[in-house]
Amino acid sequence: MNSLSKILVESEEVVSFLKKDLQYRSVYQRVLEQEVITQAAEERNLVVTPEEIQAEADRVRLEKRLEKAADTLAWLTEEMITVEDWEVGIRDRLLAQKLAKELFSEEVVRYFAENRLDFDQVVLYEIIVPFERVAQELFYEIEEQEISFYEAAHLYDIDEKRKHQCGFEGKLNRWSLKSDIVAVIFGAQPGQIIGPVKTEQGYHLFLVEEFIPAELTPERSKEIQDMLFKDWLAKELNYMVYNIS
């Protein structure tokens, strides 16, 4: 048995600790969110079956490589929860997914059509330096092929992580970029060096590797559905809190 499980902690002590650690509000909000989800699911006659709970439990076991029942019980003991606690948690998560689908699956296509440009993506490299003169000199050196963009990022970028990645920022959504650089980046051509562009971070140089037009893939559909559900949940929670107060 885990030695921690031998230590008895009263619920009042847990609440007191959460408050002192400034976590009480976020945990309380999550409890209220589950109340909203449960009530909304009941109103729509949504239920999670034992078979669905079992299938999700099996998926988690496979993911965590819990091959034997004893392995699962040992893991749950380590987490200080019972099998029943675990299954209730699985049910709550699946219920939230069902409610999100019920509320917004038919809204996804419309939302995507109305906001398609926001989901365009760019594979982007970036250099940020503190001084305009340095940025301008790097721009000309890269243009004249005296140094590559990647080498310049590795040598001069102010961010250690980006230095190690030779300026690689990744595959970014249009909506995730700040408004003052969106037009500059999406108005460029692949392979074009952009900049210097000044922001509060410093002076930027950009290299666009590739533009990826938005497509409504299953992953994108779920992303939009989850976003719409999150917004709905926040509004419902605010309404609940306002009426309680």
Side-chain angles (χ1 to χ4, degrees):
M1 179 181 291
N2 188 319
S3 59
L4 287 177
S5 63
K6 299 178 182 178
I7 303 174
L8 297 179
V9 179
E10 298 294 332
S11 58
E12 292 81 2
E13 294 179 85
V14 175
V15 171
S16 176
F17 176 83
L18 290 173
K19 288 181 177 180
K20 288 186 291 185
D21 204 43
L22 301 179
Q23 296 183 60
Y24 181 76
R25 184 176 184 275
S26 62
V27 172
Y28 182 71
Q29 179 172 320
R30 290 176 64 185
V31 173
L32 286 181
E33 287 175 351
Q34 190 57 52
E35 294 270 351
V36 171
I37 291 169
T38 300
Q39 181 178 329
E42 287 177 355
E43 291 170 356
R44 293 162 177 81
N45 297 315
L46 299 176
V47 295
V48 177
T49 67
E51 292 77 18
E52 290 171 326
I53 293 174
Q54 184 63 52
E56 177 62 12
D58 290 342
R59 186 195 66 78
V60 174
R61 289 191 191 95
L62 183 63
E63 183 181 88
K64 293 184 175 295
R65 299 181 178 178
L66 303 171
E67 298 177 0
K68 302 176 182 177
D71 297 333
T72 302
L73 290 174
W75 170 65
L76 292 174
T77 300
E78 183 72 21
E79 294 296 323
M80 299 177 66
I81 61 174
T82 65
V83 172
E84 290 74 19
D85 293 331
W86 185 38
E87 290 179 347
V88 169
I90 291 174
R91 185 207 64 191
D92 287 348
R93 290 192 296 276
L94 294 179
L95 193 62
Q97 292 171 17
K98 282 195 172 189
L99 182 60
K101 185 176 181 180
E102 174 75 13
L103 292 174
F104 297 111
S105 62
E106 295 183 3
E107 294 290 316
V108 168
V109 174
R110 177 190 60 80
Y111 185 91
F112 178 76
E114 292 176 356
N115 301 274
R116 188 184 190 99
L117 283 179
D118 288 341
F119 295 101
D120 284 343
Q121 295 179 309
V122 59
V123 179
L124 190 67
Y125 287 78
E126 178 178 19
I127 302 171
I128 306 178
V129 293
F131 306 110
E132 183 178 15
R133 178 182 58 80
V134 175
Q136 199 67 63
E137 288 177 359
L138 287 175
F139 177 86
Y140 289 129
E141 288 178 9
I142 295 168
E143 283 281 279
E144 295 299 321
Q145 298 183 355
E146 296 175 15
I147 189 173
S148 73
F149 189 98
Y150 317 107
E151 185 180 1
H154 184 67
L155 291 173
Y156 298 105
D157 199 291
I158 62 174
D159 182 79
E160 286 298 322
K161 180 180 178 182
R162 203 164 39 242
K163 267 187 176 183
H164 290 308
Q165 296 179 164
C166 296
F168 184 62
E169 287 284 19
K171 186 191 296 183
L172 306 177
N173 291 309
R174 181 194 288 262
W175 56 260
S176 70
L177 298 170
K178 294 185 178 180
S179 57
D180 52 352
I181 63 174
V182 165
V184 174
I185 290 173
F186 279 87
Q189 298 295 320
Q192 180 182 346
I193 309 300
I194 309 164
V197 177
K198 182 182 179 182
T199 72
E200 69 278 1
Q201 295 175 284
Y203 292 86
H204 304 243
L205 297 177
F206 299 103
L207 171 63
V208 172
E209 180 176 285
E210 179 186 5
F211 290 115
I212 305 172
E215 293 183 32
L216 191 57
T217 61
E219 295 76 18
R220 179 73 71 201
S221 294
K222 188 175 187 311
E223 177 187 343
I224 295 173
Q225 179 178 284
D226 290 348
M227 179 185 64
L228 293 173
F229 181 65
K230 184 178 179 181
D231 290 344
W232 172 84
L233 190 56
K235 291 175 184 176
E236 291 292 311
L237 188 60
N238 287 337
Y239 178 79
M240 173 187 281
V241 172
Y242 177 79
N243 280 274
I244 290 175
S245 60

